[in-house]
Amino acid sequence: MSSNWQKAYSDLKDYVSNNPQIKITQGVVAIPADYRDEFYRHFNAVREAFVKEKLPTIFNEACELSSNYNSEAEKLKTTLSLDEIKTPSVLNWLLSDPVKGLTRPVFDPLFDLLKGKLDPAGFEFQAAQAVGGFCGKSFKAGYEKWVIISLANMLSPDRALALPWDKIHEECKELQPDEKKGFFEKAVQKPEEIKTLLLGHEGQDPSFIIADLIIRSNKMNSYVSFGADLADASWTAKKVSEAKEWIKLRELGNIQKPILNWPDMVIYKGARPQDIGLVADFSRFMRPDIIVECIGLASGDKRAKLEKIKRNYDFFKPVLGSFVVNRHPLPEQALKEIFSPATAAQEDAGMEDKPLDEAEEVKRNIHFLDVGFDPSKLAPVVDALFQQKEPAAEDKK
């Protein structure tokens, strides 16, 4: 056995063989408490060796993402005196400890190898597939969170607010599909000062779509909110802000047809935090000031992603345009093919049809930013917010 992971696996098998009290078969897994720590020391060494040896690009990208995210997160925590910035648990595995995050998906394939269900080649294939599936979503989600906190840091924030997600969720009973018709009306609570920032809500069927974070920008003397992890809402807000324009998503009374494609992130600017806290209810979506779309992986179907960016721009019509933030540079030819002047029928994304004339098709205000992990390259997004004329923030308290 020449490779590193196989050497580590040989050590693990030797440990199991030398301690017959440990029983691992296709029907039984029994690891007595006295042997558990040492067993998992060997077990985890195999998983780590496999990821580092067979998936070095993924491992290096995970470490880079974690380092840059945590650097910006610590800066924001200090500036706003936050106690914690929380992300969904699966994403937190990756951001807090890339090694543990990447090796979690290898757990079941490695036990299947020990049980004889897989041979080494089968293990390598299944483990690589499991890690790749985990990384595809987590890398993109992590990069989106890095973009949010990097932009917030650039805006010189001096207040952090959010709508009280826990209170909203407590009031939202689980609805059956035929109950999701928007007839349940509820007043939306006002944003509150926060000490814990929640970037993403996991395992929820949302009543409303709300901004993850609202900051007061000392630099602009205005409030800015960031909404991500967008999904379909089930309730209708009794009152929405009259300071912003609202886009119709669907008719009240229709069974909720899921919208298949949402922008990665929407940004709003306003004089009052209560004007930019609610992003959407069942039938309405606040017209974004800015859409931010993120492309976080070097590989993948970029053409499909670029088509989605175009559709989102056409439907949501962001006031200040869309910004596509790239972790890796995009090929110029791909951009030319997607964003040519030629018109095309709008693809159905689950939204009500909004036909465009040819002039609108040509004049899309979409900007591509090769950012990587350099926050300064997000400056065009901040500059666009500065250009928007909004009343000054009403208060600082």
Side-chain angles (χ1 to χ4, degrees), residues 14 75 98 126 154 184 190 197 224-225 242 260 371 386 392:
D14 287 345
K75 190 186 302 182
Q126 288 201 12
M154 293 176 71
F184 188 90
K190 290 185 177 181
L197 169 57
V224 177
S225 71
E242 295 181 358
L260 303 179
V371 173
F386 265 99

Side-chain angles (χ1 to χ4, degrees), residues 6-221:
Q6 289 184 326
K7 173 62 171 65
Y9 180 60
S10 178
D11 293 341
L12 171 62
K13 287 202 303 181
D14 287 345
Y15 180 75
V16 172
S17 297
N18 293 333
N19 294 279
Q21 297 88 343
I22 300 173
K23 300 187 184 302
I24 300 176
T25 66
Q26 293 201 14
V28 176
V29 174
I31 307 170
D34 290 345
Y35 300 90
R36 203 163 292 156
D37 287 347
E38 186 65 11
F39 171 84
Y40 279 108
R41 186 181 72 80
H42 286 289
F43 188 87
N44 294 337
V46 179
R47 293 194 288 168
E48 182 175 343
F50 173 81
V51 169
K52 289 181 176 179
E53 177 192 351
K54 295 296 183 180
L55 305 169
T57 300
I58 286 177
F59 176 75
N60 291 334
E61 289 207 6
C63 292
E64 184 183 29
L65 172 61
S66 172
S67 174
N68 283 280
Y69 169 83
N70 286 300
S71 175
E72 290 295 318
E74 287 301 316
K75 190 186 302 182
L76 190 64
K77 284 170 61 178
T78 300
T79 301
L80 293 174
S81 300
L82 298 173
D83 295 331
E84 187 179 12
I85 298 178
K86 296 178 67 175
T87 60
S89 57
V90 174
L91 179 57
N92 184 62
W93 298 341
L94 181 69
L95 296 177
S96 61
D97 189 334
V99 173
K100 287 185 178 179
L102 291 177
T103 57
R104 278 177 176 267
V106 184
F107 187 92
D108 287 341
L110 183 51
F111 261 114
D112 285 344
L113 179 61
L114 284 170
K115 294 174 183 178
K117 291 183 177 181
L118 294 174
D119 60 17
F123 163 75
E124 288 189 354
F125 177 79
Q126 288 201 12
Q129 290 285 101
V131 174
F134 166 76
C135 290
K137 293 182 179 179
S138 297
F139 277 18
K140 182 177 182 298
Y143 191 61
E144 290 171 6
K145 305 302 182 270
W146 176 86
V147 170
I148 290 175
I149 57 178
S150 296
L151 285 170
N153 281 326
M154 293 176 71
L155 289 167
S156 301
D158 56 21
R159 290 186 72 194
L161 308 95
L163 271 70
W165 169 257
D166 290 341
K167 294 178 184 177
I168 293 172
H169 179 59
E170 284 174 4
E171 295 176 349
C172 181
K173 71 182 184 72
E174 184 176 355
L175 302 178
Q176 298 302 313
D178 63 350
E179 296 179 290
K180 298 178 182 180
K181 298 183 178 182
F183 288 137
F184 188 90
E185 280 195 328
K186 187 74 176 178
V188 180
Q189 299 175 354
K190 290 185 177 181
E192 300 175 352
E193 300 275 354
I194 58 171
K195 285 295 183 181
T196 296
L197 169 57
L198 298 176
L199 288 178
H201 308 113
E202 56 185 331
Q204 311 292 356
D205 190 9
S207 50
F208 300 120
I209 302 303
I210 62 176
D212 293 280
L213 171 65
I214 305 169
I215 60 168
R216 183 192 176 277
S217 170
N218 187 50
K219 183 179 288 188
M220 292 193 298
N221 191 26

Side-chain angles (χ1 to χ4, degrees), residues 307-308 310-311 314 341-349 353-358 361 364:
E307 290 286 2
K308 170 183 175 289
K310 189 168 66 172
R311 287 198 305 271
D314 291 345
T343 59
Q346 183 178 8
E347 296 182 26
D348 179 20
D353 292 337
K354 290 227 173 196
L356 296 171
D357 61 30
E358 186 171 349
E361 181 76 8
R364 290 191 182 94

